[in-house]
Amino acid sequence: MISIIGSGRVGTSIAFLCMSHVLDDVLLVNRNENKAIGESLDISNAIPVDSGFSIQGTSDYSKIIGSNIVAITASTGVYLKNRYENIISQANNIRDIAKKVKQYCPDAIVLLVSNPLDVLTYIFQKETLFSRFKVIGIASSLDSSRFRYLISEKFSVPQSLISNAFVLGEHGDSMVPVFSGVSVDGNQLSSMLNMDEMITMRNNVRNYWKRLRMYKSRSQFGIAKQTYDIIESILNLKEITIPASVVLEGEYGERDVAMGVPVKINKNGIAEIQTIDLDEAESLLLRESSHRIKEQLRSVL
């Protein structure tokens, strides 16, 4: 069973994808039970006729018992200026959720989607003492897809011709698009852009959410698809390599922090934290990104 904690736009979009693609039973958990039930009734009409799975809504955490995967999308409010606006209430909320997940399904793989993503990933892992390889923050893959999209637009090429467009570090204003490893139709991206163009694109990746919010209240489909892809790979015994937030213990020279790095995910969670080459400037930016996350952590620990 897949339990999704939070029945807002992102949580319900993940649930819709899981049910329409016949992945597993889904349980929507929301503090407003009527909201969870209503969304489950709606999504149930998207279940294929040959599916043996069902979806239910509840506010009762005890029903998550037996979940293979728990995705956490719950939010205490909408951020407008940056992802740290609600950090105190979000940190308290994730501690409460962590206690319940630890009580009812201590063997689950946990996917964190709520913001501030890296801070909450760290808090959840420390509160539960789950293996760091089973607590995965989903956001850097979204940032990477945005990076890939901007490259595609810049050079008018399909995204299928772009490889290794990774964004590492914080899911926030200090995220680090890694230009040095990107290939565009066999050509190195770093040779196709001057420094000013790189800085502009980096800022556009970091501020993508602000541009999106000029047209709609918040993003939902991109992060829902990124989360679904991980759930699908776990349940269907596939491997997927993406950047995701994980508590580090020396990788990339960092420890006691969670941030986005390339990882290989399989049925057991994170199977490997991968090391990719960074140029000197990118390494410095990644250290600065780690420092920023640690500053925010100190405010809630």
Side-chain angles (χ1 to χ4, degrees), residues 10-37:
V10 174
T12 53
S13 295
I14 297 168
F16 169 79
L17 288 170
C18 291
M19 295 311 302
S20 61
H21 288 87
V22 196
L23 271 193
D24 202 347
D25 293 315
V26 170
L27 181 70
L28 283 176
V29 183
N30 201 71
R31 56 180 173 265
N32 179 343
E33 184 166 270
N34 287 342
K35 168 72 169 169
I37 293 172

Side-chain angles (χ1 to χ4, degrees), residues 98-111:
K99 290 183 178 71
K100 294 170 180 173
V101 173
K102 184 176 183 178
Q103 177 182 358
Y104 293 116
C105 48
D107 297 321
I109 296 171
V110 179
L111 308 181

Side-chain angles (χ1 to χ4, degrees), residues 194-208:
N194 61 39
M195 183 57 66
D196 288 340
E197 289 173 320
M198 287 187 190
I199 292 171
T200 297
M201 185 171 289
R202 181 190 305 139
N203 289 334
N204 287 342
V205 174
R206 291 173 172 177
N207 294 318
Y208 192 102

Side-chain angles (χ1 to χ4, degrees), residues 53-299:
F53 299 125
S54 64
I55 181 170
Q56 296 181 348
T58 186
S59 60
D60 182 359
Y61 275 83
S62 69
K63 292 185 178 180
I64 71 174
I65 289 175
S67 298
N68 306 100
I69 297 171
V70 176
I72 302 173
T73 69
S75 175
T76 59
V78 179
Y79 61 89
L80 300 174
K81 295 180 180 179
N82 66 69
R83 296 176 176 91
Y84 293 111
E85 285 177 24
N86 305 311
I87 188 171
I88 300 297
S89 60
Q90 283 288 78
N92 290 335
N93 192 42
I94 209 68
R95 288 188 178 99
D96 182 56
I97 293 172
K99 290 183 178 71
K100 294 170 180 173
V101 173
K102 184 176 183 178
Q103 177 182 358
Y104 293 116
C105 48
D107 297 321
I109 296 171
V110 179
L111 308 181
L112 270 295
V113 183
S114 307
N115 281 305
L117 188 281
D118 306 288
V119 168
L120 298 188
T121 300
Y122 182 90
I123 290 174
F124 187 98
Q125 194 271 326
K126 297 305 177 184
E127 285 287 325
T128 59
L129 297 180
F130 286 3
S131 165
R132 65 188 179 121
F133 299 121
K134 299 186 78 171
V135 179
I136 309 169
I138 313 302
S140 294
S141 58
L142 172 66
D143 299 326
S144 299
S145 71
R146 292 171 172 178
F147 185 26
R148 190 170 58 250
Y149 168 77
L150 291 173
I151 297 169
S152 171
E153 290 292 291
K154 170 75 174 177
F155 295 103
S156 300
V157 298
Q159 294 189 41
S160 60
L161 295 179
I162 301 167
S163 58
N164 300 319
F166 289 154
V167 176
L168 309 185
E170 176 198 27
H171 179 53
D173 294 340
S174 70
M175 67 181 67
V176 184
V178 179
F179 290 88
S180 61
V182 181
S183 173
V184 182
D185 196 15
N187 301 304
Q188 292 302 114
L189 176 63
S190 55
S191 69
M192 302 166 68
L193 297 170
N194 61 39
M195 183 57 66
D196 288 340
E197 289 173 320
M198 287 187 190
I199 292 171
T200 297
M201 185 171 289
R202 181 190 305 139
N203 289 334
N204 287 342
V205 174
R206 291 173 172 177
N207 294 318
Y208 192 102
W209 71 274
K210 295 180 181 178
R211 179 188 173 199
L212 186 151
R213 286 201 182 184
M214 292 171 60
Y215 302 97
K216 63 178 291 186
S217 61
R218 70 197 77 169
S219 60
Q220 70 188 88
F221 299 117
I223 188 59
K225 181 58 164 58
Q226 300 298 324
T227 308
Y228 164 81
D229 286 346
I230 294 171
I231 296 172
E232 192 269 341
S233 70
I234 292 170
L235 294 181
N236 287 339
L237 309 182
K238 300 177 182 178
E239 285 190 340
I240 185 172
T241 299
I242 59 165
S245 189
V246 58
V247 175
L248 300 180
E249 294 182 355
E251 296 87 1
Y252 291 88
E254 301 293 338
R255 61 179 61 250
D256 210 31
V257 67
M259 68 177 185
V261 294
V263 299
K264 181 184 291 184
I265 296 172
N266 64 15
K267 64 179 182 178
N268 298 313
I270 292 175
E272 178 187 354
I273 296 176
Q274 298 185 330
T275 300
I276 61 173
D277 292 330
L278 305 175
D279 65 27
E280 185 176 349
E282 290 162 349
S283 295
L284 176 59
L285 287 171
L286 194 62
R287 287 196 295 274
E288 292 174 352
S289 190
S290 172
H291 179 71
R292 175 175 167 82
I293 298 166
K294 288 179 178 178
E295 282 185 334
Q296 297 298 331
L297 274 169
R298 283 192 287 271
S299 72

